Structures are given as structure tokens and as C-alpha cells.
Amino acid sequence: MTLLCVALGKNSKVFKVCYWFSPFALSMSWSLSMHRMLLFSFICLLFHQTQCYSWKTAFFKQQVDHFSFANQDIYAQRYLVNSTYWKRGGGPIFFYTGNEGDIEWFAQNTGFMWDIAEEFGAMLIFAEHRYYGQSLPYGNKSYSDVKYLGYLTSEQALADFAELLVYVKSTNSGAAESPVIAFGGSYGGMLAAWMRIKYPHIITGAIAASAPILQFTGLTPCDAFNRVVTADFSSASAECAETIRKSWKALSKILVNDEGKEWLRTHWNLCVPLNGTEDINNLKDWLTNVWTNLAMVNYPYPANFLAPLPAYPVKAVCEHLTNSSLDDRSLLDEIFKGLSVYANFTGQTQCLDVSQQADQSLGDMGWDFQACTEMVMPMCGDGINDMFEAQPWNLEKYSEKCLKKWKVNPRPLMAPLNYGGRNISSSSNIVFSNGLLDPWSTGGVTKSLSDSLVAIIIPEGAHHLDLRGADPNDPNSVVKAREIEKQFISKWILSSKRDRKEMPKSFIVG
């Protein structure tokens, strides 16, 4: 039996329906196609969906360690496939390089690939990143000890993707000559770019959206990220950013005693009361992430990428943060109203859970480990040029936390060493897109490096907005960005086919 799923999305809600098909039906490709098209068309019409994505779920046996022969363990990597529009016999493969979360979640939020699949006659593959979703190398033990977790690296993940693509192309009739275009957003965008850099014989080209490949030590100022977040809120309202800036001191004053902690628990409807210093620090970290996430997903329509949110959520939050001159408690009451846009837009949240950063489909634990090993991205703020509590970047303290939590020491220069940092001009066929509303754009490639290493700037774009499905509310800049991306995809595919036909001459001398 094989599992086929359809994700139904409309506005801020996504539903998934799955069906099991018998091996006999699957052995008859025409029957499968007919079943699929009729079934999914019926479901989409029934629910009047604006997005309707279907896939087959499969698993591929991967080496846990691709780079030595000491560990022979294997694990099952999950991937999703849709061949509805694929032109057998050379049609391209659009390959999503899964990032830090459940791959179905990324498949549901990468509508651009689905939108253009028919136009290009493409097969779609969404590959899950090891240690996320269902792709756990050691099952429930995967996060229990560094001896199991230590294989969670970008290098191992890229090798997984390469092995999977070789398998797919060798086992699907007509796929051997199919050019592969990698797609990814955020960390997935980094992986898409790095796949082209590391495996150019497998990846024809890459669309790397909001990919902060330069957000590393010595490449990007540590304060740049927070300045863009602040600019997003200041653009909505200068008073909004100032209210947030003043809230940190207000919190510190309120939380100095038990009476203040109890006041905040009741006024903010906290799920768990605050006790010691660690709880207070966790609360402030949560707040920092909320303001950051809002800037990232400041989309022009309702969406549920990190949380169910209205259109332009930064503006919606700032409508509640209108008076930075209030006394501390009144100001914090205002802050809570703004926070509720993020934490309780649906009105169904019973209490404020500051232990939950974003959508549960994201793998917070896995990313925390990666940030303590090779994905060390320095962040800092001074509380003057940004709206955050002043916090310098201190690698020594950062390393101490990583060692205490994960028993590892960070290697801040590992990623630039492995992938080139700014020195990637020897590579080709990568489009780097960045939205100027997105704070991660500070670590992105924002200037073209060559005719085939191209930067696209989207002034009204938030975090990888161009990878999301087309929407009537999209700003014109993102519509144009997608058209440019399609032009490069076409160019890469044609070039790949031409290169196979035109063999260069050899010279015999003597």
C-alpha cells in the first residue's frame, strides 16, 4: 500500500487528507493518474479551495554517516513526490531542499513550485531534512545524546539529497536526463545554493530565497538583523517601535518581586507562572522571537506560516501599540494586546505559552543544536539603534550555553569554510532573492556576482514571499521576481539539454 495525500489550503488554514492505494492500482500508471486527478479535483471543487497540493509519500534508506566507513547505520528519509505534470523523458525535477521542520509543512507553504509545475512539465520532490519530521536516524533516541545527534549537519543533509536524487533518476523511467532545479527558503535556501555549489553535476540550478549564507562571523555585522526588524515596526508606526523599546525596562521593573510576577501572570494570562531568573530570560527570549517572527512573515495576506496571522501583521500589532508614554503597567497592557495578534489571532488560545516559539511543525530543538555547532549566526543589539534590549554578541558565553545544553563547542567558521562564504564566484546558476522587509536579507546575497549568480531584490517582500503561492494581494515586485526566476529556470533547463547534445572537441597533439 502507498500513501497519497492532498493538502487543502485556503487563507490561513491548511487541511490534509490522505488515502491508501493498493499495489495493483499503483502498478498501472494510467489508473493511478486517473484516480488521482478525479479524486483530488473532486475534493478541491467540494471545498472550493484556492490551493490544492497532492503527493505520494515515500521513504529512502540513507547512510547515517556519508563520510566515513566506521558507522554503517542506516535510516529512512521521508520525501514527497508529485508527478502529475511531469513530462517523462527529460522533463525537469523541481527539488525542495527540506529545512528545519516537517517536510509536509514546507510543501504546503511553497506554492511557487506547484504553480509552475505544469508550465515546465516538472516532477516535484520535497525531501525531508534528517532529524526533522519523520526522518529521525535513531528514532526516539535521536536527540537523547550527542553520539546520536552529532550527524545532524548540513553536509550530511546535502549528501542525503544527492543520494536521493541519484536514486530517483535511476529508478524512474525517463528521468535519467532530467535537469534538477533546487528550491529552498531560509535555511532551505542556503541548502539549495550549497547543493548547486557542492553538487553541480547533480543540480542544474538553484532558487535560493531569503538564504542568509553570509550571516556568519566576519561576514555580516551582528546588529544588522535587529535594525531591519526595528525598521519594519517603525515603518508601521514610530510610536510602535518606541513602545516595544521601552517595554524591556518596564518588564524588568515589574518582575523584581513576586507581586509583579503575579500581576504579569494574570494580565498576560501566562500558562505557567514566572519563578526565577531563567523564566524571566526565557520570557524575554520569547518576546524577541515574536517581534522577529512578525517581521519575517509580514505578508500582504492572511497566512499561517509561523502562526495564524492577519495580512500585514506588523501593522495589525502596531495598531495596539500607540502610546509609549504610558506608565509601566499600562504600557505592558498595551504590549499584551499587540502580542495577542501573534499568539491568539484565532481567539482559540486559552493562555499564553511562552515555551512555544512558532508552529509546532518547526523543529526548534534540532535548529538549536545546529546553531550550537555549524550554524553560528551572531546577533546583537544596543537598544538605541534598534528596539531590543541591549545585548552584545559574546561567543564565549554562547559557547558555554551550548556546551552545557548539548555537550558541543560551536565552530563559527565551519560553514564559510565548507561553502565559500563570500567567495562563491566559481559557482554558477543560482538566483538569490531577498525581500527588504525580511531581516534575514542582511545576511543574503543582495548584489549579483556574475551573469549566473544573480541577486533579486523585492522591496515589499517578507521572508521568501516569492516561494509562496501566487495571491491577488501580492505586491507587483514579487510578481516580477517570480517571472525573473522562471526566466532563469528556463535558461538553465535549455542550457542543460544543449550541453548534452553539443560535446566539446578533444585535441590529440604530438
Side-chain angles (χ1 to χ4, degrees):
M1 301 289 281
T2 297
L3 186 65
L4 286 167
C5 295
V6 56
L8 307 172
K10 192 170 185 178
N11 295 328
S12 63
K13 296 183 178 179
V14 176
F15 307 92
K16 184 179 71 172
V17 181
C18 295
Y19 292 87
W20 289 99
F21 281 80
S22 70
F24 174 74
L26 289 172
S27 68
M28 304 174 66
S29 60
W30 66 270
S31 179
L32 171 61
S33 179
M34 185 63 70
H35 273 116
R36 181 170 55 203
M37 294 302 292
L38 288 175
L39 174 64
F40 295 153
S41 295
F42 169 74
I43 292 175
C44 289
L45 287 171
L46 179 65
F47 289 94
H48 304 288
Q49 297 300 318
T50 56
Q51 299 172 351
C52 191
Y53 308 144
S54 64
W55 57 73
K56 181 180 76 172
T57 301
F59 292 85
F60 177 62
K61 291 182 179 179
Q62 292 279 12
Q63 292 289 139
V64 171
D65 186 1
H66 291 283
F67 304 113
S68 81
F69 295 91
N71 185 342
Q72 297 298 313
D73 294 345
I74 60 173
Y75 83 98
Q77 179 189 22
R78 181 170 58 152
Y79 65 102
L80 316 176
V81 183
N82 180 291
S83 302
T84 301
Y85 300 113
W86 182 49
K87 293 180 180 178
R88 191 179 299 275
I93 296 172
F94 288 173
F95 185 84
Y96 186 88
T97 49
N99 32 329
E100 71 281 24
D102 188 302
I103 192 59
E104 292 187 348
W105 188 63
F106 293 112
Q108 293 161 5
N109 283 280
T110 313
F112 179 55
M113 289 174 64
W114 300 92
D115 289 349
I116 66 175
E118 182 176 12
E119 178 180 347
F120 284 93
M123 177 193 299
L124 302 182
I125 297 178
F126 294 83
E128 191 160 67
H129 195 297
R130 56 171 52 206
Y131 289 88
Y132 294 102
Q134 296 180 18
S135 300
L136 301 175
Y138 292 101
N140 293 334
K141 296 191 297 182
S142 296
Y143 283 82
S144 65
D145 193 284
V146 71
K147 69 180 180 181
Y148 300 122
L149 188 55
Y151 301 101
L152 171 51
T153 69
S154 60
E155 298 93 332
Q156 298 280 7
L158 295 181
D160 283 344
F161 297 154
E163 293 273 10
L164 175 59
L165 279 165
V166 169
Y167 167 77
V168 168
K169 295 184 74 172
S170 65
T171 56
N172 283 270
S173 176
E177 301 298 326
S178 292
V180 180
I181 309 300
F183 294 76
S186 196
Y187 171 50
M190 299 165 75
L191 295 173
W194 291 340
M195 272 295 285
R196 172 60 186 170
I197 292 170
K198 284 289 189 180
Y199 298 95
H201 57 295
I202 295 175
I203 301 297
T204 305
I207 303 296
S210 299
I213 65 168
L214 305 178
Q215 194 72 44
F216 294 101
T217 300
L219 300 181
T220 297
C222 63
D223 64 345
F225 184 96
N226 284 341
R227 290 191 183 206
V228 173
V229 176
T230 303
D232 288 346
F233 282 82
S234 295
S235 295
S237 162
E239 197 66 12
C240 179
E242 186 61 23
T243 300
I244 295 172
R245 183 182 286 110
K246 289 186 174 181
S247 70
W248 305 106
K249 286 186 178 179
L251 270 175
S252 296
K253 290 179 182 178
I254 289 289
L255 297 176
V256 293
N257 55 48
D258 291 341
E259 185 273 332
K261 292 173 185 175
E262 178 59 20
W263 180 90
L264 192 73
R265 185 191 70 79
T266 56
H267 280 249
W268 280 22
N269 192 27
L270 298 176
C271 296
V272 179
L274 301 173
N275 293 314
T277 302
E278 185 175 355
D279 288 347
I280 295 173
N281 290 337
N282 289 339
L283 171 65
K284 289 185 175 181
D285 287 345
W286 181 83
L287 287 169
T288 297
N289 285 326
V290 167
W291 305 134
T292 296
N293 289 345
L294 283 162
M296 286 169 54
V297 297
N298 197 26
Y299 298 136
Y301 47 77
N304 68 337
F305 183 56
L306 296 180
L309 291 170
Y312 292 114
V314 168
K315 180 181 178 182
V317 167
C318 287
E319 287 174 354
H320 299 284
L321 309 185
T322 59
N323 188 353
S324 63
S325 300
L326 294 170
D327 63 86
D328 289 344
R329 298 197 177 198
S330 298
L331 186 140
L332 291 178
D333 280 333
E334 264 202 358
I335 289 287
F336 177 68
K337 292 176 183 177
L339 288 174
S340 295
V341 173
Y342 180 88
N344 193 22
F345 178 60
T346 63
Q348 298 176 358
T349 303
Q350 296 182 352
C351 58
L352 190 63
D353 183 2
V354 299
S355 67
Q356 182 176 333
Q357 298 291 353
D359 192 292
Q360 291 296 297
S361 297
L362 272 178
D364 289 341
M365 284 183 62
W367 183 251
D368 189 65
F369 177 81
Q370 288 190 263
C372 273
T373 51
E374 59 176 350
M375 295 297 146
V376 183
M377 300 180 178
M379 299 285 180
C380 65
D382 60 10
I384 300 171
N385 296 296
D386 58 68
M387 65 184 194
F388 295 95
E389 192 168 37
Q391 186 171 9
W393 169 249
N394 188 317
L395 179 60
E396 184 177 350
K397 288 185 178 180
Y398 186 86
S399 299
E400 288 173 359
K401 290 181 180 179
C402 291
L403 187 61
K404 180 180 179 180
K405 183 171 184 178
W406 297 110
K407 299 179 181 178
V408 295
N409 283 305
R411 299 182 189 175
L413 302 179
M414 186 174 179
L417 175 65
N418 282 336
Y419 305 117
R422 292 189 181 277
N423 301 313
I424 60 172
S425 57
S426 60
S427 188
S428 62
N429 293 5
I430 305 174
V431 168
F432 295 97
S433 61
N434 284 281
L436 295 185
L437 300 181
D438 180 18
W440 287 110
S441 64
T442 60
V445 177
T446 54
K447 292 183 179 179
S448 296
L449 304 177
S450 70
D451 289 342
S452 63
L453 292 175
V454 179
I456 299 177
I457 303 302
I458 308 171
E460 299 91 357
H463 202 45
H464 50 69
L465 175 60
D466 50 321
L467 280 193
R468 297 181 62 81
D471 188 277
N473 295 302
D474 280 331
N476 192 46
S477 59
V478 78
V479 175
K480 289 182 177 179
R482 293 188 186 118
E483 287 301 317
I484 296 172
E485 289 165 356
K486 284 167 55 179
Q487 290 170 17
F488 276 97
I489 292 170
S490 297
K491 179 181 178 180
W492 298 335
I493 292 171
L494 289 174
S495 178
S496 173
K497 293 179 179 178
R498 185 171 58 248
D499 290 346
R500 287 197 301 270
K501 292 179 180 179
E502 299 177 2
M503 298 299 293
K505 292 181 179 180
S506 299
F507 296 89
I508 301 176
V509 298

PDB file of all heavy atoms in Angstrom, residues 109-124:
ATOM      1  N   ASN A 109       3.627  25.254   2.009  1.00  0.00           N
ATOM      2  CA  ASN A 109       3.943  26.687   2.017  1.00  0.00           C
ATOM      3  C   ASN A 109       4.917  27.094   0.926  1.00  0.00           C
ATOM      4  O   ASN A 109       5.531  28.160   1.010  1.00  0.00           O
ATOM      5  CB  ASN A 109       4.506  27.074   3.396  1.00  0.00           C
ATOM      6  CG  ASN A 109       3.423  27.190   4.456  1.00  0.00           C
ATOM      7  OD1 ASN A 109       2.729  28.205   4.545  1.00  0.00           O
ATOM      8  ND2 ASN A 109       3.262  26.140   5.247  1.00  0.00           N
ATOM      9  N   THR A 110       5.064  26.255  -0.095  1.00  0.00           N
ATOM     10  CA  THR A 110       5.960  26.567  -1.214  1.00  0.00           C
ATOM     11  C   THR A 110       5.168  26.503  -2.510  1.00  0.00           C
ATOM     12  O   THR A 110       5.463  25.722  -3.424  1.00  0.00           O
ATOM     13  CB  THR A 110       7.170  25.601  -1.240  1.00  0.00           C
ATOM     14  OG1 THR A 110       7.721  25.507   0.078  1.00  0.00           O
ATOM     15  CG2 THR A 110       8.262  26.110  -2.163  1.00  0.00           C
ATOM     16  N   GLY A 111       4.132  27.318  -2.589  1.00  0.00           N
ATOM     17  CA  GLY A 111       3.210  27.274  -3.712  1.00  0.00           C
ATOM     18  C   GLY A 111       3.816  27.610  -5.061  1.00  0.00           C
ATOM     19  O   GLY A 111       3.291  27.192  -6.098  1.00  0.00           O
ATOM     20  N   PHE A 112       4.914  28.350  -5.080  1.00  0.00           N
ATOM     21  CA  PHE A 112       5.545  28.715  -6.351  1.00  0.00           C
ATOM     22  C   PHE A 112       5.913  27.475  -7.158  1.00  0.00           C
ATOM     23  O   PHE A 112       5.689  27.432  -8.379  1.00  0.00           O
ATOM     24  CB  PHE A 112       6.785  29.565  -6.077  1.00  0.00           C
ATOM     25  CG  PHE A 112       7.534  29.989  -7.317  1.00  0.00           C
ATOM     26  CD1 PHE A 112       6.893  30.668  -8.342  1.00  0.00           C
ATOM     27  CD2 PHE A 112       8.891  29.718  -7.451  1.00  0.00           C
ATOM     28  CE1 PHE A 112       7.587  31.062  -9.484  1.00  0.00           C
ATOM     29  CE2 PHE A 112       9.592  30.115  -8.584  1.00  0.00           C
ATOM     30  CZ  PHE A 112       8.936  30.773  -9.606  1.00  0.00           C
ATOM     31  N   MET A 113       6.449  26.464  -6.506  1.00  0.00           N
ATOM     32  CA  MET A 113       6.814  25.234  -7.200  1.00  0.00           C
ATOM     33  C   MET A 113       5.581  24.572  -7.822  1.00  0.00           C
ATOM     34  O   MET A 113       5.611  24.110  -8.963  1.00  0.00           O
ATOM     35  CB  MET A 113       7.518  24.265  -6.253  1.00  0.00           C
ATOM     36  CG  MET A 113       8.912  24.686  -5.836  1.00  0.00           C
ATOM     37  SD  MET A 113       9.648  23.600  -4.585  1.00  0.00           S
ATOM     38  CE  MET A 113       9.775  22.052  -5.498  1.00  0.00           C
ATOM     39  N   TRP A 114       4.502  24.530  -7.049  1.00  0.00           N
ATOM     40  CA  TRP A 114       3.256  23.934  -7.545  1.00  0.00           C
ATOM     41  C   TRP A 114       2.668  24.761  -8.684  1.00  0.00           C
ATOM     42  O   TRP A 114       2.145  24.209  -9.661  1.00  0.00           O
ATOM     43  CB  TRP A 114       2.248  23.822  -6.403  1.00  0.00           C
ATOM     44  CG  TRP A 114       2.689  22.978  -5.249  1.00  0.00           C
ATOM     45  CD1 TRP A 114       3.340  23.403  -4.128  1.00  0.00           C
ATOM     46  CD2 TRP A 114       2.528  21.566  -5.110  1.00  0.00           C
ATOM     47  NE1 TRP A 114       3.588  22.345  -3.296  1.00  0.00           N
ATOM     48  CE2 TRP A 114       3.097  21.208  -3.858  1.00  0.00           C
ATOM     49  CE3 TRP A 114       1.946  20.574  -5.892  1.00  0.00           C
ATOM     50  CZ2 TRP A 114       3.103  19.901  -3.383  1.00  0.00           C
ATOM     51  CZ3 TRP A 114       1.954  19.262  -5.424  1.00  0.00           C
ATOM     52  CH2 TRP A 114       2.528  18.937  -4.198  1.00  0.00           C
ATOM     53  N   ASP A 115       2.763  26.080  -8.555  1.00  0.00           N
ATOM     54  CA  ASP A 115       2.170  26.972  -9.554  1.00  0.00           C
ATOM     55  C   ASP A 115       2.806  26.805 -10.932  1.00  0.00           C
ATOM     56  O   ASP A 115       2.134  26.968 -11.957  1.00  0.00           O
ATOM     57  CB  ASP A 115       2.314  28.434  -9.108  1.00  0.00           C
ATOM     58  CG  ASP A 115       1.419  28.784  -7.923  1.00  0.00           C
ATOM     59  OD1 ASP A 115       0.538  27.975  -7.583  1.00  0.00           O
ATOM     60  OD2 ASP A 115       1.631  29.864  -7.333  1.00  0.00           O
ATOM     61  N   ILE A 116       4.107  26.514 -10.968  1.00  0.00           N
ATOM     62  CA  ILE A 116       4.810  26.482 -12.255  1.00  0.00           C
ATOM     63  C   ILE A 116       5.113  25.068 -12.745  1.00  0.00           C
ATOM     64  O   ILE A 116       5.709  24.892 -13.807  1.00  0.00           O
ATOM     65  CB  ILE A 116       6.124  27.295 -12.188  1.00  0.00           C
ATOM     66  CG1 ILE A 116       7.120  26.650 -11.226  1.00  0.00           C
ATOM     67  CG2 ILE A 116       5.840  28.740 -11.808  1.00  0.00           C
ATOM     68  CD1 ILE A 116       8.483  27.339 -11.208  1.00  0.00           C
ATOM     69  N   ALA A 117       4.692  24.050 -11.972  1.00  0.00           N
ATOM     70  CA  ALA A 117       4.997  22.667 -12.353  1.00  0.00           C
ATOM     71  C   ALA A 117       4.418  22.309 -13.718  1.00  0.00           C
ATOM     72  O   ALA A 117       5.092  21.688 -14.559  1.00  0.00           O
ATOM     73  CB  ALA A 117       4.478  21.706 -11.288  1.00  0.00           C
ATOM     74  N   GLU A 118       3.168  22.687 -13.987  1.00  0.00           N
ATOM     75  CA  GLU A 118       2.535  22.342 -15.261  1.00  0.00           C
ATOM     76  C   GLU A 118       3.226  23.058 -16.423  1.00  0.00           C
ATOM     77  O   GLU A 118       3.471  22.463 -17.476  1.00  0.00           O
ATOM     78  CB  GLU A 118       1.053  22.705 -15.229  1.00  0.00           C
ATOM     79  CG  GLU A 118       0.311  22.324 -16.495  1.00  0.00           C
ATOM     80  CD  GLU A 118      -1.174  22.599 -16.419  1.00  0.00           C
ATOM     81  OE1 GLU A 118      -1.618  23.295 -15.477  1.00  0.00           O
ATOM     82  OE2 GLU A 118      -1.922  22.117 -17.306  1.00  0.00           O
ATOM     83  N   GLU A 119       3.557  24.319 -16.225  1.00  0.00           N
ATOM     84  CA  GLU A 119       4.206  25.102 -17.269  1.00  0.00           C
ATOM     85  C   GLU A 119       5.527  24.473 -17.714  1.00  0.00           C
ATOM     86  O   GLU A 119       5.864  24.475 -18.907  1.00  0.00           O
ATOM     87  CB  GLU A 119       4.447  26.524 -16.758  1.00  0.00           C
ATOM     88  CG  GLU A 119       5.155  27.437 -17.734  1.00  0.00           C
ATOM     89  CD  GLU A 119       5.372  28.828 -17.167  1.00  0.00           C
ATOM     90  OE1 GLU A 119       4.759  29.160 -16.115  1.00  0.00           O
ATOM     91  OE2 GLU A 119       6.152  29.590 -17.764  1.00  0.00           O
ATOM     92  N   PHE A 120       6.264  23.910 -16.764  1.00  0.00           N
ATOM     93  CA  PHE A 120       7.571  23.339 -17.079  1.00  0.00           C
ATOM     94  C   PHE A 120       7.534  21.817 -17.273  1.00  0.00           C
ATOM     95  O   PHE A 120       8.550  21.224 -17.620  1.00  0.00           O
ATOM     96  CB  PHE A 120       8.571  23.677 -15.971  1.00  0.00           C
ATOM     97  CG  PHE A 120       9.056  25.092 -16.003  1.00  0.00           C
ATOM     98  CD1 PHE A 120       8.428  26.074 -15.258  1.00  0.00           C
ATOM     99  CD2 PHE A 120      10.141  25.455 -16.784  1.00  0.00           C
ATOM    100  CE1 PHE A 120       8.872  27.387 -15.271  1.00  0.00           C
ATOM    101  CE2 PHE A 120      10.588  26.766 -16.828  1.00  0.00           C
ATOM    102  CZ  PHE A 120       9.958  27.735 -16.072  1.00  0.00           C
ATOM    103  N   GLY A 121       6.378  21.205 -17.034  1.00  0.00           N
ATOM    104  CA  GLY A 121       6.296  19.748 -17.129  1.00  0.00           C
ATOM    105  C   GLY A 121       7.182  19.072 -16.105  1.00  0.00           C
ATOM    106  O   GLY A 121       7.888  18.101 -16.404  1.00  0.00           O
ATOM    107  N   ALA A 122       7.136  19.563 -14.873  1.00  0.00           N
ATOM    108  CA  ALA A 122       8.096  19.157 -13.854  1.00  0.00           C
ATOM    109  C   ALA A 122       7.538  18.144 -12.868  1.00  0.00           C
ATOM    110  O   ALA A 122       6.361  18.178 -12.503  1.00  0.00           O
ATOM    111  CB  ALA A 122       8.589  20.380 -13.085  1.00  0.00           C
ATOM    112  N   MET A 123       8.412  17.256 -12.436  1.00  0.00           N
ATOM    113  CA  MET A 123       8.172  16.414 -11.274  1.00  0.00           C
ATOM    114  C   MET A 123       8.556  17.216 -10.044  1.00  0.00           C
ATOM    115  O   MET A 123       9.559  17.927 -10.047  1.00  0.00           O
ATOM    116  CB  MET A 123       9.021  15.137 -11.333  1.00  0.00           C
ATOM    117  CG  MET A 123       8.883  14.228 -10.110  1.00  0.00           C
ATOM    118  SD  MET A 123      10.168  12.924 -10.022  1.00  0.00           S
ATOM    119  CE  MET A 123       9.847  12.015 -11.523  1.00  0.00           C
ATOM    120  N   LEU A 124       7.754  17.130  -8.992  1.00  0.00           N
ATOM    121  CA  LEU A 124       8.048  17.827  -7.744  1.00  0.00           C
ATOM    122  C   LEU A 124       8.500  16.833  -6.686  1.00  0.00           C
ATOM    123  O   LEU A 124       7.856  15.795  -6.484  1.00  0.00           O
ATOM    124  CB  LEU A 124       6.822  18.580  -7.227  1.00  0.00           C
ATOM    125  CG  LEU A 124       6.191  19.631  -8.145  1.00  0.00           C
ATOM    126  CD1 LEU A 124       5.029  20.302  -7.426  1.00  0.00           C
ATOM    127  CD2 LEU A 124       7.215  20.659  -8.580  1.00  0.00           C
TER     128      LEU A 124
END
